[in-house]
């Protein structure tokens, strides 16, 4: 669920993978691997994205459907 939410939130905010990578101060390829599930998203990045997208961590990781 997390992986789909990462991509959906990015698209909903009209961002590219590079835009999100810039927010996280990482390379686009690294972020792409998070989004595709090839690499585990660090908690600090999850917190940063939850704040940026104005959603809860529970929503981001798929525990809740309430943003």
């Amino acid at each position: 669920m997390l992986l789909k939410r990462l991509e959906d939130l990015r698209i909903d905010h009209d961002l590219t993978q590079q835009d999100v990578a810039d927010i996280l101060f990482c390379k686009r390829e690294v972020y792409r691997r998070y989004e595709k599930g090839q690499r585990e998203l660090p908690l600090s990045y999850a917190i940063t994205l939850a704040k940026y997208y104005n959603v809860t961590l529970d929503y981001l990781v798929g525990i809740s459907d309430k943003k």
Side-chain angles (χ1 to χ4, degrees), residues 5-6 8-25 31 43-57 59-60 67:
R5 291 229 168 124
L6 283 177
D8 288 346
L9 285 166
R10 176 178 59 79
I11 291 169
D12 289 348
H13 285 81
D14 297 322
L15 299 172
T16 65
Q17 287 181 339
Q18 184 62 57
D19 293 332
V20 179
D22 291 345
I23 291 165
L24 298 175
F25 300 103
Y31 177 75
L43 179 59
S44 61
Y45 285 5
I47 292 168
T48 298
L49 290 176
K51 287 180 180 179
Y52 183 83
Y53 293 133
N54 196 31
V55 297
T56 65
L57 279 173
Y59 178 80
L60 189 67
K67 291 184 179 184

